[in-house]
Amino acid sequence: MIRVLIVDDQIMVREGFSVLLGAMPDIEVVGEAVNGREAVAQVAALRPDVVLMDIRMPELNGIEATREIVAADADAKVLVLTTFDLDEYVYQALRAGASGFLLKDASARQLADGVRIVAAGEALLAPTVTKRLITEFAKSADTAPKAPAVAQIGELTERETEVLVLIAQGLSNQEIAGHLVVAESTIKTHVSRILVKLGLRDRTQAAVFAYEARLVQVGR
């Protein structure tokens, strides 16, 4: 069973997601929290496999709550709930350690699949998230790549760097394999090595790294 904690200050949202997920045979809702501060405490007490986290909440917002949760447990998996196209905090939440994003109007199937993907250690990085990342970097006045990122790039092989760029462009392992004409298992190996070499948690963090290192050109 995948144990889920739902965090949102709106009771209708919490109850709706709880009903939808509770109907799934492989998912169990183990708790709910009404703000970020309560979420941090609930995660410590319940140890859920996945945290569904709203961004805009009182006392402690979803970004800060995600940062505290990940700092306390590097293996914690947070799936951010958002209206998305209206949300300017997407990049900040990714940087804080979120494993992906899910729209609040997602269908029951999309919600359950999102939870399963994140619980399995994958990242929910849709092309729309990539577009938001590009937008945030385009608005940034600081166009210089971050020094630590530049230094770490040298640890990657040419093929690993190529795979990293494709991850940042929102491609799945299957799509990357097709693009490079190699087996999907080979791409999985490359991704694992990239994460280990760069000290990253998941594909989402890898995408953030690629943008910060300016491996991906903003606007392309």
Side-chain angles (χ1 to χ4, degrees):
M1 293 290 286
I2 301 173
R3 304 172 72 254
V4 177
L5 173 69
I6 300 174
V7 185
D8 198 292
D9 61 337
Q10 298 180 35
I11 187 171
M12 290 183 65
V13 173
R14 295 198 309 274
E15 290 183 348
F17 281 145
S18 182
V19 170
L20 291 175
L21 291 176
M24 301 296 165
D26 59 336
I27 298 175
E28 177 187 7
V29 177
V30 296
E32 298 179 7
V34 301
N35 58 56
R37 182 59 60 201
E38 187 175 326
V40 174
Q42 288 277 54
V43 169
L46 300 173
R47 297 294 179 183
D49 298 308
V50 177
V51 181
L52 287 181
M53 179 76 75
D54 187 25
I55 288 182
R56 295 181 176 89
M57 294 182 295
E59 294 193 33
L60 189 69
N61 65 39
I63 295 173
E64 291 303 322
T66 296
R67 185 173 288 112
E68 289 193 20
I69 289 169
V70 172
D73 181 1
D75 294 325
K77 298 176 177 63
V78 179
L79 183 55
V80 173
L81 301 171
T82 178
T83 50
F84 194 66
D85 286 336
L86 302 177
D87 207 323
E88 66 270 28
Y89 301 114
V90 172
Y91 168 67
Q92 295 166 338
L94 285 175
R95 200 67 185 85
S99 293
F101 286 84
L102 195 66
L103 291 171
K104 282 192 173 182
D105 61 357
S107 67
R109 179 177 179 178
Q110 290 172 326
L111 177 64
D113 285 346
V115 167
R116 294 181 184 114
I117 288 170
V118 172
E122 296 294 328
L124 204 59
L125 186 61
T128 46
V129 174
T130 303
K131 291 178 182 178
R132 174 60 67 182
L133 279 172
I134 292 174
T135 299
E136 291 303 312
F137 275 97
K139 291 190 300 185
S140 174
D142 180 14
T143 58
K146 294 190 175 182
V150 173
Q152 288 175 285
I153 291 173
E155 300 179 18
L156 303 180
T157 65
E158 183 176 347
R159 178 45 63 92
E160 288 167 350
T161 301
E162 190 175 9
V163 170
L164 177 58
V165 169
L166 294 174
I167 289 173
Q169 292 174 347
L171 275 66
S172 66
N173 283 349
Q174 183 178 16
E175 291 169 334
I176 295 173
H179 181 80
L180 299 179
V181 196
V182 297
E184 187 174 351
S185 59
T186 299
I187 298 303
K188 290 181 179 179
T189 299
H190 284 314
V191 172
S192 296
R193 288 175 178 169
I194 289 168
L195 298 181
V196 170
K197 287 183 177 181
L198 300 181
L200 303 173
R201 300 178 67 246
D202 53 33
R203 295 170 68 90
T204 306
Q205 294 292 293
V208 172
F209 177 95
Y211 284 112
E212 291 184 339
R214 295 299 188 265
L215 288 176
V216 180
Q217 295 297 312
V218 175
R220 293 184 183 179

